[in-house]
Every structure is written in structure tokens, then in C-alpha cells.
Amino acid sequence: RLAVPGTAMLRRSLWLCLCLCSCPARGLHIHEYLYFQVLSPGDIRYIFTATPAKDFGGVFNTRYDQIHLVPADPPEACGELNNGVFIQDQIALVERGGCSFLSKTRVIQEHGGRAVIIADNAYDNDSFYIEMIQDSTRRTADIPALFLLGRDGYMIRRSLEQHGLPWAVISIPVNVTSIPTYEMMQPPWTFW
């Protein structure tokens, strides 16, 4: 007898189809998604969804198959970093708050980071994406800046702390169109 997919699987398939069908042929615009996959540690080996900044920052011209996602110290990255040497040529995981999204992006860029992923500081946020916009300073940033849900950022940092690791290994961006829907390993705490 045939197995009928569950409601969650059906919802996930429909959502993915809508996302993929509504994306233009080139470039990411606001309210579009960019995906990355945590490769290590294994307990958070999921594909995560992020949104690009609306009007500042660069784009991913290169796919990184294995690059470090380094949590900034201090987490808000509003000034000099204690672990800036580890962010050089890597991607920084930063927490929202304390200064503008653009200021955080510039701090990571000044430390040689290739991109910044800014997680919401509302750790229970598992569905609401913030629109990251330019501040009023007329400054610019050249590296990509992405917004990550608070729950996702929290779970990544928590896993690193539990394993005593200074960073995660990720692949970014991930082309989800090449992954069958049933193989999409989304975080189990994400609503579908």
C-alpha cells in the first residue's frame, strides 16, 4: 500500500516549491533566502535559511565548501574583537543588538571576515526575519551580511559550547534546488 506524506512534509514541499519558483534568475533580493549547511558539529548538521541585507553588503560570488563559522567575541561585534584573528578569511556569527547591522558588518570586514551572519537576539524567534537596512551614516560594507533566526543562532552557539569548539564548519551558499525535498535536513525546531 502507498504511504501518504504527512501534513508537515506536504507543507515543507509546498513552501520549498514556492520559494524556488519565485526566485529570479540572478542575484538575491530582500525577502529571498540564502542557505548554508553546518557540516560540523554533527548534532546541528542541518541546512539553515538566512536572508541578505536589504541595501548594504556584498554578494556571494564564491561557494565555500568548508569554511569556519566563528562566533564573534564579544557576540554583538560592535567594536574590537577578542577573537578577530580567527575571523580572518572566515565567516563570523554575530548577535543582533548594541549597534547597527551595518556597524557589525564593518567590524567583521575590518577583521578580514569573508561574510557575517547576524542572528536575532530573541532566542525564541524561529519564524520572523528582520529586514537589515543601512544606518544613517552613509558608510558602506563590501562583504555579504545575512540575517539568521534567533533560535538557529542560539542552537549553533549552544552546540559549539557543549562540544568546546571555537567554530562550526559550514558550506555556503547551498543550492537547495539540487537536493530532493525528502533529503532536506532542516532544523527540527523550525516551523514548516
Side-chain angles (χ1 to χ4, degrees), residues 36-51:
F36 68 94
Q37 181 174 19
V38 172
L39 305 173
S40 172
D43 62 330
I44 54 167
R45 192 178 169 97
Y46 300 114
I47 294 176
F48 292 88
T49 305
T51 56

Side-chain angles (χ1 to χ4, degrees), residues 21-35:
C21 295
S22 65
C23 292
R26 58 191 166 110
L28 283 171
H29 302 287
I30 190 64
H31 299 305
E32 291 181 21
Y33 301 103
L34 185 136
Y35 301 91

Side-chain angles (χ1 to χ4, degrees), residues 8 11-12 36-38 41-50 69 93 119-120 122-129 148-160 162-163 184-192:
R11 224 179 300 149
R12 173 197 252 178
F36 68 94
Q37 181 174 19
V38 172
D43 62 330
I44 54 167
R45 192 178 169 97
Y46 300 114
I47 294 176
F48 292 88
T49 305
L69 178 62
L93 177 62
D120 196 357
Y123 298 153
D124 59 345
N125 177 9
D126 61 2
S127 60
F128 182 70
Y129 288 90
L148 182 66
L149 296 174
R151 175 70 54 89
D152 293 345
Y154 169 77
M155 297 300 278
I156 291 170
R157 283 190 300 274
R158 188 181 84 168
S159 175
L160 294 177
Q162 287 174 342
H163 293 287
M184 286 278 291
M185 291 294 293
Q186 296 285 327
W189 55 85
T190 302
F191 172 74
W192 284 98

